Amino acid sequence: MSENCKKAYITTPIYYVNDVPHIGHAYTTIIADTLARYSRLIGLDTMFLTGTDEHGQKIEEAAKSRGRSPKEYADEISGKFKSLWDEFDISYDKFIRTTDEDHKLGVHKAFETMHAKGDIYKDNYEGFYCVSCETFFTKIQLVDDEFCPDCGKPTSIVKEESYFFKLSKYEERLLQWYTDDEKCILPKAKKNEVINFVKQGLHDLSITRTSFDWGVKLPEKMNDPKHVMYVWMDALMNYITALGYGKDDANMEYWNGTTVHLVGKDILRFHAIYWPAFLMSLDLPLPRHIGAHGWWTRDGEKMSKSKGNVVDPREVANAYGLENFRYFLLREVPFGQDGDFSQKALIDRINSDLGNDLGNLMNRIIGMSGKYSNLVIDSTNVMKYHEKEIKDAEAIIDTLEPFIFELQLNRFLEELWKVLTIANQSITAYEPWAKIKEGKEEEAMALVALVANLLAKVSVMLSSVMPKTCASISDALGFEITPENFNTIIKDKKLLETFTIKKLPALFPRIEHEELESPEPKVASKKEKKAEGIITIDQFFETKIKIATILEAEEVPKSDRLLKLKVDVGENEPRQVIAGIKEFYTAESLAGTQACLVANLKPAKIMGLLSEGMLLAAKDKEGLSLIRPESPKRSGTKVG
Ligand code: ME8
């Protein structure tokens, strides 16, 4: 981001309201928050947008399965996102909801503009649709002719009248943009994936649906009331409708500034292909960067409710501290790569990087200045004794900003930590306690002041990642972190005025691994493996058994044994289970009853039907009984 550019516009994806926020959502939002805070710190007029994506078939179905209206349901989940971001002190300037009336105005304007330009035409769509990903596919893209190549869920055949956007018309211009603007998509490897995809040829995009209702209707002047906007056409527009597009353009000047869209790699295609093509059609400028980060997994697996391995960001923040969690997320994984969440890695980062490198340094100068100078720290002799250390630190800090705007936040932190290394090494090398003994007080005091100055610089630079922690550090060092002080301390490289350091409680108390409340599954030792037939409790809990409420049951045609069940295990969508129990239960007798389901079995196909779990049953010569709770339990309750 260049200095002449005075406006910054930072966005997260707008999250679907079919799911409560988890670590993945928190990750994107925290990256965006860091960028927004840094932009403000360096004096850019910054707009930070987040929000929720509330239309589409997926939401309509999720609401229906809970017996709620889509709007009621969207209100509830959107509220959960907003309150988590508020609790997490996310510094968003606007929280948009696609059910906002102003947003709809903008979607209409965009549709009308594209239509007037000849970029929208009406035809028939025939293909496959994945509701979970809200994505159209052609048959050759499917796995086993049926399953979504992205999420693996079954797709449905769609055959309906639709309006199409002439995406193919923009193929060449998109390729030109990727070539001309080196950093439009970050990281580079992801950009290459996009280029390869576009080079295979773009089909025009179906942008309306007629088979469901929950969406933005077409503008009245189109006189075609049965169509609603395809959810991505609706959702992507949020980035401009939030600025007043279609209403009063009140904040559209942010769109002409530097726009950075943060997204997960799962939705890069929509942002790097459809979105710029829509913008080209609307004659609007293209974003500066679209940054696609990797995927957080748990124990190497994709997180999903059905696997019961979702990491709740609130729980982690409550247990380990919000800012420690922020630091960990940004430091642990290079932007663009997948990361596996583990408590052990988080604790190691807190104890090592934060506790040892940063927290101890603070304690040490409080201790030393308490002993040597009644807590007064004076920078007068810093350059006399430590010019090299100061210059080395400044040289590192001068390289940091591009890491932020090019989204290499782990590199940013890694480099910044080198300043702490300079500080820690200087204490070891100069041994101020020895200098005091030798009567070289001036030198000892200069060393303490050197460290205080290095800590001051680090706290300013780190403040967008750990705002409150850095505010405490700077407060102890006698200054406030503001854009003015960014200029003084970082840009103009001024040293601190004489001040009295304030005592601080330990910033990062050490966490022992034994304190973990839910230790991660251990790998069984050889000895354990040898005890045949005996499993550990951890091994038992690898099988996730849950209470399933049977919503519907029907016979599988041409099968003597099988029933097809729709069961609720407390997830967004019911699961389909194919059970070999027809000899013992009629379909009608099962609906509304409960049973125990093995919920983390790999889905399998039985007589061509997908089965997502297995019901537990006991069978003897008298017959078969499903294993059921003694009294009704909430769907999805864990058994074990
Ligand atoms: O896609 N690891 O919404 P969504 C990292 N409504 N990030 C993750 C993640 C994980 N395991 N899981 C989710 C949508 N995310 C659309 C967006 S924008 C115009 C419309 C993050 O609720 C990541 O940022 O499915 C991903 O892109 C986003 O959540 C998807 O959120």
Side-chain angles (χ1 to χ4, degrees):
M1 189 171 300
S2 80
E3 260 185 64
N4 329 339
C5 164
K6 290 287 174 230
K7 292 211 185 310
Y9 185 35
I10 317 286
T11 71
T12 72
I14 45 171
Y15 302 110
Y16 283 130
V17 290
N18 69 324
D19 196 1
V20 292
H22 63 66
I23 186 179
H25 305 118
Y27 181 52
T28 325
T29 308
I30 287 169
I31 298 175
D33 184 59
T34 301
L35 249 71
R37 285 176 186 270
Y38 189 81
S39 303
R40 292 187 196 108
L41 182 67
I42 63 171
L44 300 178
D45 176 6
T46 303
M47 169 84 157
F48 172 17
L49 174 72
T50 189
T52 42
D53 187 356
E54 306 185 7
H55 289 131
Q57 199 171 346
K58 173 155 72 171
I59 311 299
E60 190 179 69
E61 288 179 6
K64 203 167 154 205
S65 74
R66 286 163 179 79
R68 316 270 301 274
S69 78
K71 180 63 169 57
E72 251 175 23
Y73 179 59
D75 285 348
E76 181 195 324
I77 308 285
S78 176
K80 289 192 175 170
F81 275 95
K82 194 160 187 288
S83 60
L84 181 67
W85 303 151
D86 290 339
E87 228 174 274
F88 273 20
D89 215 5
I90 298 297
S91 63
Y92 61 85
D93 297 293
K94 184 170 167 80
F95 186 101
I96 191 169
R97 300 182 54 183
T98 52
T99 47
D100 292 342
E101 289 306 316
D102 290 353
H103 169 75
K104 293 181 197 168
L105 293 177
V107 177
H108 281 166
K109 178 171 168 189
F111 189 96
E112 283 165 8
T113 312
M114 288 148 95
H115 188 257
K117 200 170 180 183
D119 281 352
I120 290 179
Y121 62 92
K122 196 165 163 181
D123 203 341
N124 286 305
Y125 181 81
E126 208 175 326
F128 295 81
Y129 195 71
C130 173
V131 176
S132 183
C133 299
E134 298 281 16
T135 306
F136 296 98
F137 292 105
T138 56
K139 188 153 190 177
I140 47 163
Q141 291 176 301
L142 301 182
V143 174
D144 291 343
D145 289 345
E146 183 184 354
F147 298 100
C148 169
D150 291 342
C151 73
K153 294 197 179 142
T155 55
S156 45
I157 297 174
V158 171
K159 214 172 177 179
E160 58 190 41
E161 182 186 272
S162 176
Y163 285 85
F164 285 80
F165 170 70
K166 285 187 185 166
L167 186 62
S168 54
K169 170 176 162 188
Y170 292 95
E171 195 175 303
E172 284 310 314
R173 272 182 72 187
L174 285 168
L175 287 170
Q176 198 59 49
W177 180 51
Y178 307 140
T179 316
D180 292 348
D181 192 342
E182 203 203 338
K183 293 175 181 163
C184 59
I185 299 166
L186 295 170
K188 260 200 181 146
K190 292 274 186 285
K191 179 171 155 179
N192 294 336
E193 284 171 25
V194 172
I195 293 176
N196 290 338
F197 186 89
V198 175
K199 278 189 175 160
Q200 285 168 21
L202 293 176
H203 298 286
D204 289 349
L205 181 70
S206 164
I207 52 164
T208 67
R209 304 284 314 271
T210 56
S211 52
F212 75 102
D213 211 32
W214 180 236
V216 179
K217 298 263 183 262
L218 291 206
E220 254 175 43
K221 63 165 82 145
M222 296 302 299
N223 205 11
D224 216 345
K226 64 178 187 291
H227 287 263
V228 295
M229 301 279 180
Y230 169 44
V231 65
W232 275 99
M233 164 82 182
D234 164 359
L236 286 163
M237 295 300 165
N238 93 89
Y239 299 127
I240 49 176
T241 63
L243 301 177
Y245 180 83
K247 192 185 174 216
D248 51 12
D249 285 349
N251 284 311
M252 276 303 277
E253 75 269 24
Y254 286 98
W255 193 256
N256 300 317
T258 297
T259 299
V260 185
H261 294 308
L262 268 316
V263 298
K265 64 178 182 179
D266 53 322
I267 55 172
L268 179 61
R269 203 184 323 150
F270 301 96
H271 284 81
I273 302 173
Y274 301 172
W275 179 228
F278 290 163
L279 289 167
M280 287 171 186
S281 176
L282 296 172
D283 291 316
L284 286 171
L286 303 182
R288 177 74 270 272
H289 301 302
I290 301 166
H293 64 68
W295 210 246
W296 280 96
T297 55
R298 183 77 209 252
D299 304 320
E301 287 192 63
K302 192 170 171 184
M303 274 181 245
S304 78
K305 273 203 202 158
S306 51
K307 289 191 199 127
N309 63 351
V310 174
V311 178
D312 177 350
R314 191 184 264 113
E315 265 177 33
V316 181
N318 287 342
Y320 298 104
L322 171 62
E323 300 209 342
N324 299 344
F325 178 44
R326 284 173 68 106
Y327 173 81
F328 168 79
L329 288 175
L330 302 187
R331 174 67 186 83
E332 187 68 6
V333 182
F335 187 83
Q337 290 182 21
D338 292 345
D340 200 44
F341 181 82
S342 94
Q343 288 173 335
K344 182 179 176 308
L346 170 60
I347 293 175
D348 286 345
R349 286 274 172 213
I350 297 173
N351 286 343
S352 164
D353 301 12
L354 297 175
N356 293 349
D357 300 343
L358 176 60
N360 275 354
L361 202 55
M362 194 68 207
N363 290 345
R364 291 178 88 177
I365 58 161
I366 293 174
M368 289 191 281
S369 59
K371 268 196 211 154
Y372 313 152
S373 61
N374 211 11
L375 296 171
V376 175
I377 294 184
D378 175 354
S379 303
T380 314
N381 292 312
V382 169
M383 294 310 261
K384 180 168 162 196
Y385 294 103
H386 296 293
E387 188 174 355
K388 176 166 180 348
E389 286 84 353
I390 290 285
K391 294 274 179 242
D392 287 350
E394 284 168 359
I396 293 168
I397 290 171
D398 284 345
T399 65
L400 292 180
E401 194 163 295
F403 290 126
I404 294 244
F405 288 113
E406 289 169 23
L407 304 171
Q408 293 177 280
L409 290 151
N410 71 311
R411 291 280 292 117
F412 167 80
L413 292 168
E414 204 178 351
E415 290 301 307
L416 182 59
W417 247 243
K418 291 184 181 164
V419 177
L420 294 176
T421 306
I422 296 178
N424 277 308
Q425 284 176 351
S426 329
I427 300 183
T428 316
Y430 292 95
E431 300 185 327
W433 50 91
K435 299 269 186 274
I436 291 280
K437 275 193 195 148
E438 292 160 23
K440 296 178 180 164
E441 272 174 25
E442 186 181 286
E443 284 182 40
M445 303 301 302
L447 189 274
V448 174
L450 163 72
V451 174
N453 276 284
L454 296 182
L455 268 171
K457 290 178 194 296
V458 169
S459 70
V460 175
M461 293 307 287
L462 185 62
S463 63
S464 42
V465 179
M466 305 184 76
K468 292 215 164 91
T469 310
C470 293
S472 319
I473 296 176
S474 73
D475 181 55
L477 297 177
F479 72 98
E480 220 184 307
I481 298 172
T482 57
E484 295 69 41
N485 281 334
F486 175 85
N487 284 341
T488 318
I489 295 173
I490 302 296
K491 263 177 122 182
D492 301 341
K493 304 179 169 45
K494 295 259 164 54
L495 296 181
L496 296 172
E497 311 260 323
T498 303
F499 66 99
T500 303
I501 195 166
K502 285 189 201 150
K503 290 191 177 178
L504 273 183
L507 288 170
F508 310 102
R510 199 175 168 76
I511 303 170
E512 297 306 330
H513 284 283
E514 297 81 71
E515 284 174 20
L516 288 181
E517 276 178 19
S518 50
E520 286 155 311
K522 281 183 282 167
V523 179
S525 69
K526 275 190 191 150
K527 201 166 148 206
E528 281 167 334
K529 278 183 190 155
K530 266 191 202 150
E532 236 177 84
I534 301 292
I535 59 166
T536 63
I537 187 92
D538 289 336
Q539 286 169 322
F540 172 73
F541 279 115
E542 280 174 22
T543 309
K544 303 243 178 321
I545 304 173
K546 292 188 175 174
I547 298 295
T549 305
I550 302 171
L551 304 173
E552 289 169 21
E554 60 182 85
E555 297 186 354
V556 172
K558 294 192 210 143
S559 168
D560 300 333
R561 260 181 8 93
L562 299 179
L563 290 181
K564 185 168 97 176
L565 312 176
K566 205 176 235 190
V567 301
D568 177 4
V569 275
E571 298 163 352
N572 300 324
E573 290 160 31
R575 293 197 196 190
Q576 174 169 290
V577 172
I578 308 300
I581 55 174
K582 187 170 158 189
E583 295 162 65
F584 309 99
Y585 291 93
T586 61
E588 304 80 65
S589 70
L590 286 173
T593 68
Q594 294 193 311
C596 295
L597 180 91
V598 179
N600 61 338
L601 268 187
K602 195 169 170 202
K605 272 196 166 177
I606 303 174
M607 281 190 69
L609 298 168
L610 184 74
S611 184
E612 302 168 293
M614 182 180 82
L615 291 180
L616 291 184
K619 190 175 169 196
D620 62 10
K621 54 182 185 313
E622 254 88 72
L624 174 143
S625 303
L626 287 171
I627 309 294
R628 305 173 181 280
E630 201 173 49
S631 56
K633 287 277 158 257
R634 204 170 36 80
S635 303
T637 304
K638 271 198 207 151
V639 178

